[in-house]
Amino acid sequence: MAHAQHLRPETIAVSAGRPPRVPDGPMSQPPVFASAFVGGGEVGYARTSNPSWSALEEALGALDQGEAVAFASGMAAVAAVLSLVPHGGAVVVPRHAYQGSLTLLDAEAATGRVAVRRVDVEDTAAVIAALDGAALAWLESPTNPALERADIPAIVEAARSQGVLVAVDSTFATPLRLQPLALGADLAVHSATKLISGHSDVILGAVVARDAGVLQRIRTHRTLHGAIPGPMEAFLVLRGLRTLAVRLERAESNARELARRLAAHPAVREVRDPGFGTVLALVLDDAAAADAAVAKVALWLHATSLGGVESTLERRRRWATEAPTIPEGLIRLSVGIEHVEDLADDLLAALG
Ligand SMILES: *Cc1c(COP(=O)(O)O)cnc(C)c1O
C-alpha cells in the first residue's frame, strides 16, 4: 500500500506501516511468529515474507521513496547489493567506509568475483574517473569514521550516463537526512541496527530500490541466502523508527554543540563534523592520548557501533581492520540524547 505522498518524513516515520483501521484491531503491527502460513495464499513459507517485515518495509520504503527489502543485518543488505555485480565487475568504493563492507569487498576481490577501486569520496573528479567501465559505485556519506561527504548528485549523473549502478549506504544519515533515490541513486542501504532502531538492542538491515528487476534480484537473494530478519527484530526496528525524528533532532543538536566546544579544547587537534547527523570524530595527539581519554569517561560508554540513545565513543584504530589513513588518535563519537551539559562535562574532563 503506497503511503500518502504529501506527508512529511517525520510524519511518515510515525504513520506508515500500520495495520488496517478496524475496530479493536491493534494500532501497531504485532510480531508474527510463524514458519509457515495456511496454504492457498501468496506467501506460504516465512523465509519469503512475514507481516512483521512487511510493515517495516512499508515504512522504510515510504521514507526513501522506493520499495524496501528488510534483511537480517546491515551486512546482509550490503551482501545482497554486491550480488548485483556481475562476475569480475569493478566496484568503486570510498577508501574510508564501513569496515565490514570493505572487508567483504576485499574477500570477494581475492577470489576474483569483483575488482575493487578505492577512491577519496570527497574528490568527485577522482570518483567519476574511476567509474569508467565499473559495474557499481558504492557510496557512503558521511563515511565511517572519517565523516567525508560525497557529492551524490554529481556522481549519480556521471554514473547514469555510463550505465553504472549507484548504491548509497545511508546508515549515518538515515532516511530523514538523505534520500539517495530522490537524488537519482539506484539503491539505498541501511544498517537499521544504528539510528533507525536507536536503542542498541537489535541488528537488522534494509535495501531500498525502485527498479522492479533490481528488487526482484534483491528479494530472491534474501530468500535463497536465508538472510531474513526475525519477526521480533522487525517489530523492534519499526518501534524505534517511530521516534527517530525526535531522537535525531536532540542528538544532532547535542553533536553540533559538542563539536563547537571540542574545537576549542587544547588537547583536540581536529574535530570532524559533517554538519548533520549524530556522529563526530575528534583527533588527539596519538593512540595513547586517545586510549587515556576513552578510559576516563564515566557517562559516555566505551563501545563500538553507533546511533543509540546513549552516547558512546571508541578509538577506531584499536581495530586491526581500520584503514591506516585514519589517524591513530581518532576517537569516533556517537552522540546520544542525554543532556548536552552532562555529555560535555564528562568528555571535556576526560580530555584533561
Ligand atoms: C553498522 C554498519 C553496517 C553493517 O550493519 P550491521 O547491521 O552491523 O550488519 C553497514 N554500514 C554502516 C555505515 C554501518 O555503520
Side-chain angles (χ1 to χ4, degrees), residues 72-90:
S73 65
M75 279 310 300
V78 172
V81 172
L82 294 186
S83 78
L84 299 173
V85 177
H87 191 89

PDB file of all heavy atoms in Angstrom, residues 72-90:
ATOM      1  N   ALA A  72      18.472  -9.557   7.548  1.00  0.00           N
ATOM      2  CA  ALA A  72      18.867  -9.978   8.894  1.00  0.00           C
ATOM      3  C   ALA A  72      19.828  -9.000   9.545  1.00  0.00           C
ATOM      4  O   ALA A  72      19.912  -8.923  10.768  1.00  0.00           O
ATOM      5  CB  ALA A  72      19.505 -11.365   8.829  1.00  0.00           C
ATOM      6  N   SER A  73      20.589  -8.256   8.745  1.00  0.00           N
ATOM      7  CA  SER A  73      21.564  -7.298   9.277  1.00  0.00           C
ATOM      8  C   SER A  73      21.904  -6.307   8.174  1.00  0.00           C
ATOM      9  O   SER A  73      21.593  -6.538   6.995  1.00  0.00           O
ATOM     10  CB  SER A  73      22.838  -8.028   9.727  1.00  0.00           C
ATOM     11  OG  SER A  73      23.475  -8.618   8.615  1.00  0.00           O
ATOM     12  N   GLY A  74      22.592  -5.245   8.558  1.00  0.00           N
ATOM     13  CA  GLY A  74      23.092  -4.321   7.546  1.00  0.00           C
ATOM     14  C   GLY A  74      24.026  -5.034   6.581  1.00  0.00           C
ATOM     15  O   GLY A  74      23.970  -4.820   5.367  1.00  0.00           O
ATOM     16  N   MET A  75      24.887  -5.904   7.107  1.00  0.00           N
ATOM     17  CA  MET A  75      25.828  -6.602   6.235  1.00  0.00           C
ATOM     18  C   MET A  75      25.115  -7.534   5.259  1.00  0.00           C
ATOM     19  O   MET A  75      25.555  -7.709   4.121  1.00  0.00           O
ATOM     20  CB  MET A  75      26.856  -7.387   7.071  1.00  0.00           C
ATOM     21  CG  MET A  75      27.998  -6.541   7.592  1.00  0.00           C
ATOM     22  SD  MET A  75      28.826  -5.516   6.334  1.00  0.00           S
ATOM     23  CE  MET A  75      29.416  -6.756   5.187  1.00  0.00           C
ATOM     24  N   ALA A  76      24.008  -8.157   5.696  1.00  0.00           N
ATOM     25  CA  ALA A  76      23.242  -8.995   4.764  1.00  0.00           C
ATOM     26  C   ALA A  76      22.688  -8.129   3.633  1.00  0.00           C
ATOM     27  O   ALA A  76      22.644  -8.561   2.470  1.00  0.00           O
ATOM     28  CB  ALA A  76      22.110  -9.710   5.500  1.00  0.00           C
ATOM     29  N   ALA A  77      22.303  -6.896   3.960  1.00  0.00           N
ATOM     30  CA  ALA A  77      21.812  -5.968   2.932  1.00  0.00           C
ATOM     31  C   ALA A  77      22.940  -5.571   1.984  1.00  0.00           C
ATOM     32  O   ALA A  77      22.766  -5.519   0.758  1.00  0.00           O
ATOM     33  CB  ALA A  77      21.205  -4.731   3.598  1.00  0.00           C
ATOM     34  N   VAL A  78      24.131  -5.318   2.552  1.00  0.00           N
ATOM     35  CA  VAL A  78      25.302  -4.969   1.729  1.00  0.00           C
ATOM     36  C   VAL A  78      25.613  -6.123   0.779  1.00  0.00           C
ATOM     37  O   VAL A  78      25.816  -5.928  -0.433  1.00  0.00           O
ATOM     38  CB  VAL A  78      26.533  -4.679   2.636  1.00  0.00           C
ATOM     39  CG1 VAL A  78      27.798  -4.512   1.801  1.00  0.00           C
ATOM     40  CG2 VAL A  78      26.287  -3.450   3.504  1.00  0.00           C
ATOM     41  N   ALA A  79      25.623  -7.343   1.324  1.00  0.00           N
ATOM     42  CA  ALA A  79      25.960  -8.520   0.507  1.00  0.00           C
ATOM     43  C   ALA A  79      24.944  -8.700  -0.624  1.00  0.00           C
ATOM     44  O   ALA A  79      25.309  -9.079  -1.738  1.00  0.00           O
ATOM     45  CB  ALA A  79      26.018  -9.765   1.389  1.00  0.00           C
ATOM     46  N   ALA A  80      23.676  -8.422  -0.343  1.00  0.00           N
ATOM     47  CA  ALA A  80      22.649  -8.564  -1.382  1.00  0.00           C
ATOM     48  C   ALA A  80      22.906  -7.579  -2.522  1.00  0.00           C
ATOM     49  O   ALA A  80      22.777  -7.921  -3.698  1.00  0.00           O
ATOM     50  CB  ALA A  80      21.270  -8.342  -0.781  1.00  0.00           C
ATOM     51  N   VAL A  81      23.302  -6.355  -2.185  1.00  0.00           N
ATOM     52  CA  VAL A  81      23.581  -5.366  -3.237  1.00  0.00           C
ATOM     53  C   VAL A  81      24.815  -5.783  -4.038  1.00  0.00           C
ATOM     54  O   VAL A  81      24.824  -5.689  -5.276  1.00  0.00           O
ATOM     55  CB  VAL A  81      23.746  -3.955  -2.632  1.00  0.00           C
ATOM     56  CG1 VAL A  81      24.217  -2.967  -3.696  1.00  0.00           C
ATOM     57  CG2 VAL A  81      22.425  -3.488  -2.020  1.00  0.00           C
ATOM     58  N   LEU A  82      25.839  -6.277  -3.351  1.00  0.00           N
ATOM     59  CA  LEU A  82      27.052  -6.700  -4.071  1.00  0.00           C
ATOM     60  C   LEU A  82      26.765  -7.876  -5.005  1.00  0.00           C
ATOM     61  O   LEU A  82      27.470  -8.075  -5.991  1.00  0.00           O
ATOM     62  CB  LEU A  82      28.178  -7.047  -3.093  1.00  0.00           C
ATOM     63  CG  LEU A  82      28.721  -5.880  -2.261  1.00  0.00           C
ATOM     64  CD1 LEU A  82      29.923  -6.324  -1.438  1.00  0.00           C
ATOM     65  CD2 LEU A  82      29.103  -4.688  -3.138  1.00  0.00           C
ATOM     66  N   SER A  83      25.713  -8.647  -4.690  1.00  0.00           N
ATOM     67  CA  SER A  83      25.380  -9.780  -5.561  1.00  0.00           C
ATOM     68  C   SER A  83      24.891  -9.317  -6.932  1.00  0.00           C
ATOM     69  O   SER A  83      24.817 -10.107  -7.868  1.00  0.00           O
ATOM     70  CB  SER A  83      24.320 -10.672  -4.896  1.00  0.00           C
ATOM     71  OG  SER A  83      23.028 -10.091  -5.027  1.00  0.00           O
ATOM     72  N   LEU A  84      24.551  -8.028  -7.057  1.00  0.00           N
ATOM     73  CA  LEU A  84      24.119  -7.487  -8.354  1.00  0.00           C
ATOM     74  C   LEU A  84      25.303  -7.303  -9.311  1.00  0.00           C
ATOM     75  O   LEU A  84      25.116  -7.137 -10.515  1.00  0.00           O
ATOM     76  CB  LEU A  84      23.432  -6.126  -8.162  1.00  0.00           C
ATOM     77  CG  LEU A  84      22.160  -6.105  -7.297  1.00  0.00           C
ATOM     78  CD1 LEU A  84      21.704  -4.663  -7.066  1.00  0.00           C
ATOM     79  CD2 LEU A  84      21.043  -6.921  -7.948  1.00  0.00           C
ATOM     80  N   VAL A  85      26.523  -7.296  -8.761  1.00  0.00           N
ATOM     81  CA  VAL A  85      27.716  -7.060  -9.591  1.00  0.00           C
ATOM     82  C   VAL A  85      28.042  -8.340 -10.355  1.00  0.00           C
ATOM     83  O   VAL A  85      28.160  -9.405  -9.744  1.00  0.00           O
ATOM     84  CB  VAL A  85      28.924  -6.658  -8.704  1.00  0.00           C
ATOM     85  CG1 VAL A  85      30.184  -6.475  -9.534  1.00  0.00           C
ATOM     86  CG2 VAL A  85      28.597  -5.392  -7.918  1.00  0.00           C
ATOM     87  N   PRO A  86      28.160  -8.267 -11.671  1.00  0.00           N
ATOM     88  CA  PRO A  86      28.485  -9.473 -12.431  1.00  0.00           C
ATOM     89  C   PRO A  86      29.902  -9.955 -12.108  1.00  0.00           C
ATOM     90  O   PRO A  86      30.728  -9.184 -11.620  1.00  0.00           O
ATOM     91  CB  PRO A  86      28.385  -9.021 -13.898  1.00  0.00           C
ATOM     92  CG  PRO A  86      28.531  -7.547 -13.860  1.00  0.00           C
ATOM     93  CD  PRO A  86      28.016  -7.088 -12.528  1.00  0.00           C
ATOM     94  N   HIS A  87      30.180 -11.217 -12.387  1.00  0.00           N
ATOM     95  CA  HIS A  87      31.479 -11.797 -12.053  1.00  0.00           C
ATOM     96  C   HIS A  87      32.619 -10.957 -12.640  1.00  0.00           C
ATOM     97  O   HIS A  87      32.629 -10.660 -13.830  1.00  0.00           O
ATOM     98  CB  HIS A  87      31.576 -13.232 -12.584  1.00  0.00           C
ATOM     99  CG  HIS A  87      32.781 -13.938 -12.041  1.00  0.00           C
ATOM    100  ND1 HIS A  87      32.764 -14.651 -10.863  1.00  0.00           N
ATOM    101  CD2 HIS A  87      34.055 -13.982 -12.482  1.00  0.00           C
ATOM    102  CE1 HIS A  87      33.963 -15.107 -10.611  1.00  0.00           C
ATOM    103  NE2 HIS A  87      34.780 -14.733 -11.577  1.00  0.00           N
ATOM    104  N   GLY A  88      33.551 -10.561 -11.793  1.00  0.00           N
ATOM    105  CA  GLY A  88      34.706  -9.778 -12.249  1.00  0.00           C
ATOM    106  C   GLY A  88      34.433  -8.287 -12.394  1.00  0.00           C
ATOM    107  O   GLY A  88      35.333  -7.518 -12.727  1.00  0.00           O
ATOM    108  N   GLY A  89      33.194  -7.854 -12.119  1.00  0.00           N
ATOM    109  CA  GLY A  89      32.843  -6.445 -12.274  1.00  0.00           C
ATOM    110  C   GLY A  89      33.556  -5.559 -11.259  1.00  0.00           C
ATOM    111  O   GLY A  89      33.873  -5.997 -10.156  1.00  0.00           O
ATOM    112  N   ALA A  90      33.796  -4.301 -11.666  1.00  0.00           N
ATOM    113  CA  ALA A  90      34.524  -3.379 -10.783  1.00  0.00           C
ATOM    114  C   ALA A  90      33.544  -2.609  -9.891  1.00  0.00           C
ATOM    115  O   ALA A  90      32.484  -2.158 -10.337  1.00  0.00           O
ATOM    116  CB  ALA A  90      35.360  -2.413 -11.608  1.00  0.00           C
TER     117      ALA A  90
END
